[in-house]
Amino acid sequence: MKQIEVTIMGHSYLLGCPEGGERSLQEAVSRVDREMCNIRDAGKIKARERIAVLAAPNLAYSIVQRSA
């Protein structure tokens, strides 16, 4: 498994990625980053951890809706 560097809300992270999965992981990270930035930019919440917790069910809901 290789590692790739990604950026979420301006912070860099190293994530494990299976060979050939880089593009899918980058798209997933992009969606997470977009959702978290939208929550942050709404202006009510500033803590990254809280933003991540709020972003998770939003993203999961969109996945469930697509597969229904």
Side-chain angles (χ1 to χ4, degrees):
M1 182 172 291
K2 66 187 290 184
Q3 288 189 326
I4 63 171
E5 186 173 357
V6 300
T7 303
I8 301 172
M9 287 183 46
H11 290 80
S12 294
Y13 300 92
L14 277 178
L15 300 179
C17 181
E19 292 292 330
E22 296 88 355
R23 184 175 177 172
S24 294
L25 182 57
Q26 286 288 0
E27 182 170 329
V29 167
S30 178
R31 288 182 181 187
V32 168
D33 181 54
R34 191 169 40 249
E35 184 67 27
M36 289 181 66
C37 287
N38 287 341
I39 292 169
R40 179 200 61 205
D41 294 345
K44 296 181 180 183
I45 301 167
K46 298 295 180 199
R48 272 190 319 225
E49 181 179 293
R50 186 153 168 81
I51 290 170
V53 168
L54 293 173
N58 291 346
L59 293 166
Y61 178 79
S62 68
I63 291 168
V64 168
Q65 289 299 304
R66 276 187 276 166
S67 63

